[in-house]
Amino acid sequence: MALKAMLRTLDEPFARHTTLKLGGPAREWWLLESTAEIGQAVASSEADGVPFVIVGGGSNLVASDRGFAGRVLQVANRGIAIRGDEVTVAAGEPWDDVVGLCVDEGLAGLECLSGIPGTAGATPIQNVGAYGQEVADTIIAVDAFDRRVGHHVKLSPKECAFAYRDSALKHEARWVVTSVTFALERSRAASGLTYPELVKALGRSGEAPLADVRAKVIALRRTKGMVIDANDPESCSAGSFFTNPVLTFDELSRLEKRIETKPPCYAHGESWKVPAAWLIERAGFGKGYGGPRVGVSRKHALALVHYGGGTTSELLELARAIRDGVLARTGVTLQNEPVLLGESL
Ligand code: NAP
């Protein structure tokens, strides 16, 4: 496909493309609507020596108020192919549509990942997970354009090196995901449900109909402002702003001593996962802290919300205050979860 067929705009504000509704203009914005266009656009940007960034749904992105003096390549290829219990999804497909389709088709394995904003192509990058499922459980291949070798490649799960909310794709700006293939299970019921919050909402553990699981997960996420909804001001965010810290036994002991109480914690291999939201509240940044333009969500202390008329600078000032406050109070350094473009914490 000819490059000139791509939709390109100049001085396009990030604020129009991020769930936070923040961010200044990108000098060039290219919309890539096919897998071939993704490869061509990346290769030609490299050849032109133009700085470029890849974006998907803008749900995990904090862009500078200054914008970006380069080229934004927005992955927007579409298409879902189902062969038996295998589903191949183009990177630009809205993730929740994919989950909804699989639930309707009686394909189990993604239902706990309902209501998550963003595109399918973004899910392997941080190994998106929720309520006891993560995409690494079902991904069997990731198709990507490999910038190092200059052509399309197929990555195995092993090459992706999935870990907790992490993968090799996150650490090296080498691969641009073009599609993801999942091996699901032909079943109308989800199995292995143990996540306490979900089990409580369903009123049962183990098995439950896929559609019930999807409905309950979306309802739970709504109570936390984690479903994008024009009528819910708390949902104007980038989801969780910090990752949940994973501590060694010694680090956990030091934390307990310092705050003179036992924090909620969950075994994570040899280590311990502590909810970042709990640390944030403990450090004095309760739900509703801040405002009026940016603040801690009134529904979930882990989300930072833009209530309108604010700037990325204001949001990051709040994020720094929280990070520094949590460090001073607990000795734990929180890491931002969203990608920061043109900024650092
Ligand atoms: P939550 O349910 O309050 O949990 C907070 C933290 O505690 C998470 O790290 C969670 O682990 C852990 N946790 C809670 N109960 C647990 C249990 N019984 N056993 C082991 N670990 C437990 O979290 P939330 O912020 O409202 O989010 C709900 C779900 O969405 C969580 O599963 C969270 O991880 C997920 N989420 C994912 C992303 C992402 O993929 N980037 C972003 C935001 C939220 P897990 O993380 O292992 O669940």
Side-chain angles (χ1 to χ4, degrees):
M1 190 170 300
L3 280 173
K4 62 181 176 345
M6 291 177 203
L7 185 64
R8 305 182 201 185
T9 46
L10 295 178
D11 296 324
E12 179 70 13
F14 270 94
R16 265 193 217 148
H17 298 273
T18 58
T19 52
L20 268 168
K21 299 190 180 145
L22 288 174
R27 186 174 295 156
E28 293 180 40
W29 195 287
W30 292 18
L31 187 71
L32 311 175
E33 295 183 289
S34 73
T35 300
E37 282 184 0
I38 296 170
Q40 288 170 3
V42 171
S44 76
S45 300
E46 305 248 34
D48 296 349
V50 178
F52 66 95
V53 290
I54 312 289
V55 307
S59 61
N60 205 38
L61 183 63
V62 181
S64 164
D65 296 316
R66 294 182 302 281
F68 179 60
R71 191 175 284 171
V72 172
L73 305 181
Q74 184 176 15
V75 172
N77 58 336
R78 302 293 293 267
I80 303 177
I82 301 179
R83 285 173 305 272
D85 55 9
E86 282 184 22
V87 184
T88 297
V89 184
E93 282 290 335
W95 173 250
D96 194 49
D97 292 358
V98 175
V99 178
L101 179 76
C102 291
V103 166
D104 291 347
E105 290 283 321
L107 286 164
L110 302 178
E111 56 286 346
C112 294
L113 308 176
S114 293
I116 295 174
T119 54
T123 62
I125 294 172
Q126 58 165 317
N127 181 18
V128 163
Y131 302 106
Q133 277 177 353
E134 57 183 22
V135 290
D137 297 339
T138 45
I139 286 178
I140 53 168
V142 172
D143 286 84
F145 183 79
D146 185 337
R147 292 170 58 179
R148 192 183 289 172
V149 296
H151 58 74
H152 293 270
V153 295
K154 192 177 279 297
L155 301 173
S156 66
K158 196 170 169 215
E159 287 168 296
C160 293
F162 292 120
Y164 178 63
R165 308 290 178 263
D166 199 16
S167 79
L169 307 165
K170 188 167 161 177
H171 296 285
E172 256 191 284
R174 172 175 171 185
W175 296 282
V176 181
V177 176
T178 56
S179 74
V180 188
T181 301
F182 301 88
L184 303 174
E185 194 191 336
R186 281 261 162 222
S187 170
R188 288 270 160 212
S191 58
L193 299 168
T194 56
Y195 203 88
E197 199 186 5
L198 178 60
V199 164
K200 190 168 166 224
L202 285 164
R204 59 164 119 171
S205 59
E207 286 205 0
L210 294 182
D212 290 2
V213 174
R214 175 166 168 75
K216 288 293 184 216
V217 167
I218 290 175
L220 281 174
R221 293 186 64 94
R222 267 191 203 290
T223 65
K224 303 176 187 182
M226 295 289 191
V227 176
I228 302 292
D229 180 346
N231 296 316
D232 180 4
E234 304 301 320
S235 73
C236 190
S237 78
S240 302
F241 200 91
F242 298 100
T243 53
N244 293 305
V246 175
L247 307 180
T248 62
F249 182 77
D250 286 349
E251 288 167 338
L252 182 64
S253 307
R254 276 202 293 277
L255 171 64
E256 275 177 29
K257 221 165 154 188
R258 188 158 176 160
I259 61 177
E260 294 171 343
T261 186
K262 203 171 160 37
C265 61
Y266 306 96
H268 186 75
E270 308 265 283
S271 307
W272 299 87
K273 206 171 7 154
V274 177
W278 188 89
L279 296 172
I280 290 169
E281 297 206 53
R282 187 89 196 169
F285 303 92
K287 296 187 186 84
Y289 178 91
R293 293 184 294 274
V294 297
V296 175
S297 164
R298 296 183 186 99
K299 293 182 172 174
H300 196 325
L302 202 45
L304 302 188
V305 177
H306 173 216
Y307 292 106
T311 62
T312 298
S313 297
E314 288 174 302
L315 187 92
L316 292 179
E317 207 175 300
L318 173 66
R320 287 183 199 110
I322 293 172
R323 181 204 53 193
D324 295 348
V326 168
L327 179 62
R329 177 77 184 87
T330 70
V332 175
T333 303
L334 295 180
Q335 306 290 346
N336 54 293
E337 195 207 87
V339 173
L340 306 186
L341 180 62
E343 294 285 356
S344 56
L345 256 203

